[in-house]
Amino acid sequence: MTRIICTVYRSASHEGMYLYVRKSEELSRVPEDLRKRFGKAELAMTLLLEEGKKLARAEVPKVMAAIEEKGFYLQLPPPREAPLQPREDR
């Protein structure tokens, strides 16, 4: 069974944006342009990723695959719901 010890960082600039990286690599494989866009990375938590575990807003297999392939997984904030527009009666 594949396991990854993962460090999760929250963006200080963008609410709801998180970077998941391999703990042993930290942010070393995250492209510079993404690090600039992400802003100051604040440590959120360290966790063990393995099949069968659940995350609140991401699928563990996708997170693990992205970390293996790219060195990171970027979790974006959920889309904001558009406010209801008044309906024009005809």
Side-chain angles (χ1 to χ4, degrees):
M1 180 185 297
T2 303
R3 295 177 172 182
I4 296 176
I5 299 175
C6 175
T7 303
V8 182
Y9 292 95
R10 87 174 52 86
S11 170
S13 316
H14 305 282
E15 187 177 334
M17 187 181 286
Y18 293 88
L19 267 173
Y20 293 69
V21 296
R22 188 180 298 276
K23 186 177 188 315
S24 62
E25 296 175 342
E26 294 299 325
L27 299 170
S28 66
R29 292 180 59 198
V30 177
E32 184 64 29
D33 60 331
L34 175 55
R35 282 197 270 175
K36 286 179 182 176
R37 183 176 144 227
F38 191 77
K40 182 181 176 196
E42 299 176 337
L43 179 64
M45 70 182 89
T46 299
L47 53 93
L48 177 64
L49 293 177
E50 59 186 336
E51 292 180 29
K53 288 233 177 170
K54 301 275 186 205
L55 293 171
R57 290 192 27 242
E59 295 177 26
V60 171
K62 287 183 180 181
V63 174
M64 292 174 70
I67 291 172
E68 288 292 332
E69 293 168 20
K70 299 185 293 187
F72 67 92
Y73 174 82
L74 177 63
Q75 177 179 305
L76 297 173
R80 292 186 178 176
E81 292 184 22
L84 294 176
Q85 299 295 322
R87 203 172 118 189
E88 293 180 24
D89 291 318
R90 298 180 190 221

